Amino acid sequence: MILKILQDGDPILRLIAPEVVEFPVELAELARDMTETMHAAKGIGIAAPQVGRSLRVIVTGLDGPKAPAIVMVNPYITRAQDWQRSLEGCLSVPKERWGQAVSRRKRIVVHYRNLAGEPKTLKAHTLHAACIQHEIDHLNGILFTDYVHPLRQPPPG
Ligand code: CO
């Protein structure tokens, strides 16, 4: 089921999302709906607060709908090396504000639980690393546009 994606200004996007403590079948359903919603919007990542669920769940899918997406529950980064700067967008931000450069760590190690509650570790770099950091930001109420100083931006409209 394709879900509605909340837009910047919605207070749910600004909450610190709580950790998942149980892994019922509804969690797998949410992850499936998030994946479908991400693909339908042609995104490469999505976080549960973006579909109105304040929970620490993210999905990444850099290779489109034909490849399996990665679902991460309670993700956290334990190692980060080097820096990169890339132009970002977000399904919760109007396209006119996409394309702003954000600095992120280039190589990360992320720990999370899968939908069965099993602990997993993943090494990610470049675009996938930036994507995971962007999605974890969503779990902490942060949007990529927060990193861009307003006085450095052209006036809106
Ligand atoms: Co986003």
Side-chain angles (χ1 to χ4, degrees), residues 13 45-47 50 88-93 104 131 134-135 137-138 142-144:
L13 292 173
I46 196 165
Q50 291 183 276
E88 293 196 10
C90 178
L91 299 176
S92 295
V93 171
R104 305 265 188 201
C131 181
H134 174 119
E135 302 312 332
D137 273 354
H138 276 300
I142 298 166
L143 299 176
F144 84 91

Side-chain angles (χ1 to χ4, degrees), residues 60-124:
T60 65
L62 271 64
D63 299 318
K66 291 199 175 90
I70 302 174
V71 178
M72 299 184 203
V73 178
N74 300 339
Y76 62 98
I77 292 166
T78 53
R79 269 174 69 83
Q81 291 178 284
D82 306 326
W83 292 88
Q84 59 181 335
R85 220 171 140 71
S86 47
L87 306 180
E88 293 196 10
C90 178
L91 299 176
S92 295
V93 171
K95 281 210 168 89
E96 302 82 66
R97 288 159 62 202
W98 289 20
Q100 297 172 0
V102 178
S103 293
R104 305 265 188 201
R105 301 312 292 260
K106 195 170 187 177
R107 265 174 273 281
I108 60 170
V109 175
V110 61
H111 299 264
Y112 61 95
R113 302 241 166 205
N114 66 12
L115 288 168
E118 299 159 341
K120 297 281 175 183
T121 300
L122 178 77
K123 287 181 183 173

